[in-house]
Amino acid sequence: MGRKWVGTGWKMNKLLAEAEAYARSLREFVDGHAPEIEVFIVPPFTVLRRTCEILKGSPVKVGAQNMHWEERGAFTGEISPLMVKDCGADLVELGHSERRAQFGETDYTVNRKVLAALGHGLRPLVCVGETGPEKAFGVARECVARQVKIALKDVPESRIGEVILAYEPVWAIGESGTPAEPDYANSVHGVIRDAVSGLYGSRAAGEVPVLYGGSVDAENGPLFVREKEVDGLFVGRAAWDVRGLIRIIEAVQGESRGRPRGHEGPAP
Ligand code: PEP
């Protein structure tokens, strides 16, 4: 795996002026510092086009938070792959645990959306992760492997390198979340890698970035990316202020260069 990844999903936050200010500041930062990190942001639909416009031509990728799998039709309130593409997006987040828990998203609908995304030149960013009870009952690994295998069903081997996976244990996300221990995250990332490898072989599995998400910040971020199987971070709250995202990018950059920041200790 090459560069590390750092991205944020804004969830249901930011009006147009806030989105514009964030995107402009991020653009200024990447233009000035050229971080050797793959950076992405995932705004709400209402500001997606404008965010894409501001970041056009920069290395920052922009994604939608969800989409329907059909191109058009009688699906009131839904957004199609054509519409997401038309906004200028590069990727689409699919299967976030909030969508699974609150909006009826299933492994099977995630799979339809993954195939639709690839069919329209959008990189699918697929979120997987066990709930607290699933962890407590000792089935986290089975749960995550199942989610990955179903999400990737019928994805051709030639396209697997376009998929991005995010391991987001449900118990680690949000206000009430506790970040996973980095070695625990690493072991589940290994399960995810093995699931992809079982479908496509180990070389292809090595092409799929597997990001960790769940109460990440600039202090603990470097501890996650230090782990062998963790290719980057998917961040919520700590990156909703652009300065937070920049701090995390800098911390990961420092860790990747062997100069850890934000915590004590020698370079690995
Ligand atoms: C998320 O909800 O995807 C997430 C990673 O949130 P947070 O970083 O705020 O826990």
Side-chain angles (χ1 to χ4, degrees):
M1 183 59 57
R3 291 170 173 233
K4 297 290 184 190
W5 291 67
V6 175
T8 179
W10 293 353
K11 306 196 185 196
M12 197 172 72
N13 294 293
K14 297 196 191 302
L15 302 181
L16 182 59
E18 297 165 297
E20 287 179 332
Y22 190 113
R24 286 197 185 105
S25 298
L26 181 57
R27 172 131 212 179
E28 200 175 309
F29 170 74
V30 294
D31 285 351
H33 295 80
E36 292 152 22
I37 303 279
E38 299 285 351
V39 178
F40 65 93
I41 58 176
V42 187
F45 289 125
T46 47
V47 296
L48 180 58
R49 181 184 300 279
R50 186 69 190 119
T51 306
C52 289
E53 283 168 2
I54 293 170
L55 289 162
K56 193 168 180 189
S58 85
V60 178
K61 295 176 180 57
V62 182
Q65 295 183 10
N66 177 35
M67 68 174 197
H68 199 276
W69 56 85
E70 293 288 350
E71 291 186 352
R72 58 179 65 78
F75 301 102
T76 301
E78 290 291 318
I79 299 291
S80 83
L82 289 177
M83 295 167 182
V84 172
K85 197 71 191 160
D86 189 47
C87 286
D90 309 289
L91 56 90
V92 59
E93 178 183 356
L94 299 171
H96 189 279
S97 60
E98 287 155 11
R99 295 218 57 85
R100 292 178 192 259
Q102 299 176 49
F103 302 103
E105 191 81 270
T106 67
D107 292 337
Y108 307 101
T109 55
V110 169
N111 173 244
R112 294 186 80 162
K113 293 176 181 193
V114 167
L115 298 175
L118 291 170
H120 289 85
L122 293 161
R123 292 189 73 164
L125 164 62
V126 181
C127 301
V128 298
E130 81 280 9
T131 62
E134 285 165 336
K135 180 171 190 275
F137 277 89
V139 295
R141 286 165 168 70
E142 291 90 328
C143 168
V144 166
R146 186 201 73 232
Q147 289 174 331
V148 169
K149 284 183 191 168
I150 297 176
L152 298 182
K153 173 99 174 72
D154 295 334
V155 172
E157 190 178 337
S158 60
R159 308 294 302 279
I160 188 63
E162 293 166 52
V163 175
I164 305 161
L165 297 173
Y167 171 54
E168 298 211 315
V170 181
W171 48 267
I173 286 175
E175 294 295 341
S176 58
T178 310
E181 291 299 327
D183 62 342
Y184 177 83
N186 191 57
S187 74
V188 182
H189 280 228
V191 171
I192 292 172
R193 192 88 63 199
D194 286 349
V196 181
S197 181
L199 296 169
Y200 299 96
S202 57
R203 200 175 63 82
E207 289 172 15
V208 178
V210 185
L211 318 184
Y212 169 77
S215 297
V216 168
D217 57 27
E219 303 301 316
N220 64 22
L223 305 180
F224 287 104
V225 295
R226 185 181 283 189
E227 297 288 338
K228 179 171 169 283
E229 300 291 348
V230 178
D231 302 313
L233 304 170
F234 190 24
V235 189
R237 292 155 296 151
W240 289 346
D241 182 319
V242 70
R243 287 166 299 192
L245 178 63
I246 290 169
R247 269 197 298 276
I248 295 168
I249 293 169
E250 289 179 329
V252 170
Q253 176 94 65
E255 179 64 35
S256 307
R257 287 178 178 158
R259 288 183 288 105
R261 294 182 201 186
H263 60 91
E264 301 295 319

